[in-house]
Amino acid sequence: VTKACPNDKDATMKYEECKKVVTRIRFEKAIAVDESSKSVANQIEINTMTVEKEYDGPHLDVDGLVTKEFIYALLPYFESQKKLHKKYAYQIILQILTLLKSLPTLIDITVPKKHKFTICGDVHGQFYDLLNIFALNGPPSEDNPYLFNGDFVDRGSFSVECILTLFGFKLLYPNHFFLARGNHESLTMNQMYGFEGEVKAKYTAQMFQLFTEVFNYLPLSHCINNKVLVMHGGLFSKDDVTLKDIRAIDRVKQPPEEGLMSEILWSDPQPQAGRSESKRGVGLQFGPDVTERFLKLNNLEYVVRSHEVKQEGYELAHNGKCITVFSAPNYCDTMGNKGAYITITGDDVRPKFTSYTAVPHPAVRPMMYANQLSMFGLM
Amino acid sequence: MDKRAVDNSNIIETNNDACHCKLYAIERGYWNDPYLKILVGSTQQERRTPEISLGYYVRVHGVRYLIEKFIKLTNNDCQIINLGCGFDTTVFYLLDNENLRFKHFVDIDFEEITELKSNKIHRLSSLRNKLPMDNKSLKIPCGFHSSLYTILPADLRNTTQLDNQLKLLATNSIIDFTKPTLFLSECVLIYMSNEHSLNLLKYLSQTFSQCCLFLNFEQINMNDRFGEIMFENLKQRSCHLIGMESCQSLNSQCERYKNTNYTSSFCLTLNEYYKKYLNINEKRRIERIDGGLDEKELLEQLFEHYCFSWAYRDENNLGLNKITFE
């Protein structure tokens, strides 16, 4: 759809780098084919999948509905490194697909007065740290709602457990458990950073294709009590972006290289005013003045985003108006950072921060399933 | 089974890995190299993370930059000896550039590698035709010889064997121990014990005592969590970083040159190189190739753990101190 235009512009601008553009066009065409091809969901036949009697894990009932009992049996089952039966995994993912399809790109959340709400950042397959969040802050429930702000998978080698847990809670508490898309809920990232390998190792290539499809439907942003806007990356290259514009983003695709969707998933705040090219090569960096103008235009108090590792698990920037929350402690087993989550209440949206250190996990190294020697470095 | 053979095969495996990573980066457009694909053949390529591609980019470019400086400083009257060469294609890169002439280029590695590489060159005209042949029909078992380029099998841990091989070239006037010589060593020393690498360094500085420069690319700052993890992970894959001791710090990298008769030494991490010496437009270009850097910290962490270190002897005062990234 929109692939032709950006490519043409680039081809003209980067005349000398023609060859690289051709490579990129080929790559983007490959993505486009993924999107327009038949949904994998239609090819999955749940009814032909049988559960062997040796399977000792939790079962979904005949409707496949996720119950509290199911989730509470699932978490310790995952913790002991066991595998949910693929039939139930598929059922969960297919139901999530249906659910996400019904959601808008920007979701309005209302937190009633005196009621608590928790925002978490990147989890990156660190299942044992995810369990720790629930231990510290209480498990999700109607009284203990959560928003997970993207990057649920990749790098950490328990991504499957993380995503199935998060999907499970979403199905269980659809109006009290929220998931936003991160830049890692995308094909390229999953191919490089371990999620594809993990899904293929634990389940099937077909299931990975299904995840890719499902991730396309994840909402991009949440707005809490019309005061706090939450997205994975950050703000935009133009000043006049409104919540209406965000709502209108056609999100059901792989993240493009430019535009609002790309920026919302990839941008980073910067200390100095104005905007600069992103150090990442995608998205941009935006200053405190950009945040200020955006908040004013949209009548908001502050934005919460994730996407960047922070030593204490969180960081306030732009005079407290742009907050980063990152929930994966000791990222990649080497960064030594804390993780954090934010809690607010319906009547007082001033953020409270809780930082925590990493908990031990079974000896499965990060990016275990991106099975290359080179994952460790240069040889 | 011969334990040494097993050890070698794991070191040899690292060549495969480096080649595939380089090939991926080349295919993605990080840099040009038409020769590696010919040597390695077509393979199903898994996606590699940008950090790794950028790491190889920096490695290739940093090393090439210093090689070029060396060649120019010595007015093309020099020799280049590539230790633990693997399927490295530097010789072809130099031959393609008429400003980068040299007197002789020697690739050295285990015979399993040199045999493969030599056979490929014999078989494939696209490679063979790049190499002018001379009348000397020097036969090197598991190796290759041509007027400008020789592939020599040797176990670098065995300086007697290495000495025999190099003397073979010297007596046939293929190399000259007194001529300015650049030694390349990319992720080589760390796979041998400290004792072995010190012996090797000493042997080279003594044999080429008049004028030589040893250029090393490998790990550094390994006495932290990252180093621990890399060590453990590679151990699980039977790849042992036995030479870690010299890779603890800038100091330890340079100490070993001081202890093996090199007069001056330098060392800088890839981070420093990346920040100070890489052209900004080039940086922009390469950072965009794989859809953006996921986490800058992780790139910096990786780059903090690799370095260029080099040392030289310059008895003729050619000015080897000018060989830097400045």
Side-chain angles (χ1 to χ4, degrees), chain A residues 94-113:
Chain A
L94 287 168
Q95 287 175 64
I96 277 286
L97 180 61
T98 308
L99 173 54
L100 295 181
K101 277 180 176 174
S102 71
L103 298 178
T105 298
L106 189 154
I107 295 187
D108 290 292
I109 301 174
T110 306
V111 182
K113 278 197 180 120

Side-chain angles (χ1 to χ4, degrees), chain B residues 93-150:
Chain B
Y93 164 74
L94 295 175
L95 287 169
D96 273 351
N97 189 327
E98 52 185 45
N99 294 327
L100 298 175
R101 293 269 167 269
F102 48 85
K103 281 288 181 286
H104 207 82
F105 192 109
V106 185
D107 263 345
I108 302 183
D109 211 320
F110 291 116
E111 67 182 29
E112 290 92 326
I113 297 243
T114 58
E115 190 174 23
L116 273 173
K117 197 169 187 178
S118 304
N119 285 342
K120 293 238 173 179
I121 290 175
H122 275 300
R123 274 193 304 115
L124 303 169
S125 56
S126 47
L127 297 175
R128 206 181 53 233
N129 293 345
K130 292 277 166 187
L131 303 167
M133 289 304 231
D134 59 16
N135 297 325
K136 283 199 196 83
S137 55
L138 183 66
K139 285 272 179 271
I140 298 178
C142 299
F144 172 84
H145 175 68
S146 65
S147 54
L148 288 174
Y149 174 56
T150 300

Side-chain angles (χ1 to χ4, degrees), chain B residues 87-254:
Chain B
F87 284 178
D88 181 76
T89 56
T90 300
V91 65
F92 296 105
Y93 164 74
L94 295 175
L95 287 169
D96 273 351
N97 189 327
E98 52 185 45
N99 294 327
L100 298 175
R101 293 269 167 269
F102 48 85
K103 281 288 181 286
H104 207 82
F105 192 109
V106 185
D107 263 345
I108 302 183
D109 211 320
F110 291 116
E111 67 182 29
E112 290 92 326
I113 297 243
T114 58
E115 190 174 23
L116 273 173
K117 197 169 187 178
S118 304
N119 285 342
K120 293 238 173 179
I121 290 175
H122 275 300
R123 274 193 304 115
L124 303 169
S125 56
S126 47
L127 297 175
R128 206 181 53 233
N129 293 345
K130 292 277 166 187
L131 303 167
M133 289 304 231
D134 59 16
N135 297 325
K136 283 199 196 83
S137 55
L138 183 66
K139 285 272 179 271
I140 298 178
C142 299
F144 172 84
H145 175 68
S146 65
S147 54
L148 288 174
Y149 174 56
T150 300
I151 303 177
L152 208 57
D155 183 338
L156 295 170
R157 299 168 296 199
N158 185 340
T159 43
T160 314
Q161 186 189 74
L162 178 62
D163 187 48
N164 287 338
Q165 292 287 63
L166 290 176
K167 285 206 168 100
L168 173 69
L169 296 190
T171 47
N172 281 282
S173 304
I174 294 163
I175 61 171
D176 179 344
F177 291 151
T178 62
K179 214 182 266 294
T181 307
L182 172 62
F183 298 103
L184 301 173
S185 146
E186 294 181 45
C187 294
V188 170
L189 302 182
I190 197 169
Y191 298 121
M192 61 177 85
S193 73
N194 235 41
E195 198 191 323
H196 282 138
S197 58
L198 288 172
N199 278 342
L200 175 63
L201 284 167
K202 199 188 299 180
Y203 164 75
L204 293 174
S205 73
Q206 279 169 352
T207 312
F208 295 81
S209 55
Q210 205 133 340
C211 183
C212 68
L213 190 139
F214 189 97
L215 172 56
N216 186 34
F217 173 93
E218 81 182 336
Q219 286 88 332
I220 193 176
N221 294 328
M222 290 290 274
N223 60 343
D224 63 0
R225 186 100 186 99
F226 181 94
E228 237 177 79
I229 301 243
M230 189 193 284
F231 184 84
E232 281 308 318
N233 285 337
L234 286 175
K235 199 164 104 174
Q236 275 177 34
R237 301 285 293 261
S238 303
C239 188
H240 303 278
L241 300 181
I242 353 182
M244 266 253 289
E245 207 181 300
S246 297
C247 299
Q248 298 302 303
S249 63
L250 289 149
N251 223 38
S252 63
Q253 277 282 344
C254 291

Side-chain angles (χ1 to χ4, degrees), chain A residues 20 155 184 188 191-193 277 279-282 309 333-335 365 372-374 376 378-379, chain B residues 17 21 46-48 50-52 56 187 225 230 233-234 284 287 291-294 297-298 301 306:
Chain A
K20 281 146 214 155
R155 294 204 184 269
H184 274 267
T188 354
Q191 284 173 328
M192 286 197 283
Y193 292 101
E277 240 178 71
K279 294 193 180 80
R280 299 176 192 259
V282 180
V309 63
D333 279 0
T334 54
M335 297 293 283
R365 58 174 169 78
Q372 304 149 7
L373 243 190
S374 66
F376 314 125
L378 313 171
M379 298 288 128
Chain B
D17 212 77
C21 289
E46 277 177 52
R47 298 190 70 103
R48 310 275 163 170
E51 296 101 67
I52 297 296
Y56 278 100
C187 294
R225 186 100 186 99
M230 189 193 284
N233 285 337
L234 286 175
R284 256 187 220 138
E287 284 183 5
L293 269 184
D294 179 38
E297 265 88 353
L298 290 167
Q301 186 182 64
Y306 283 88

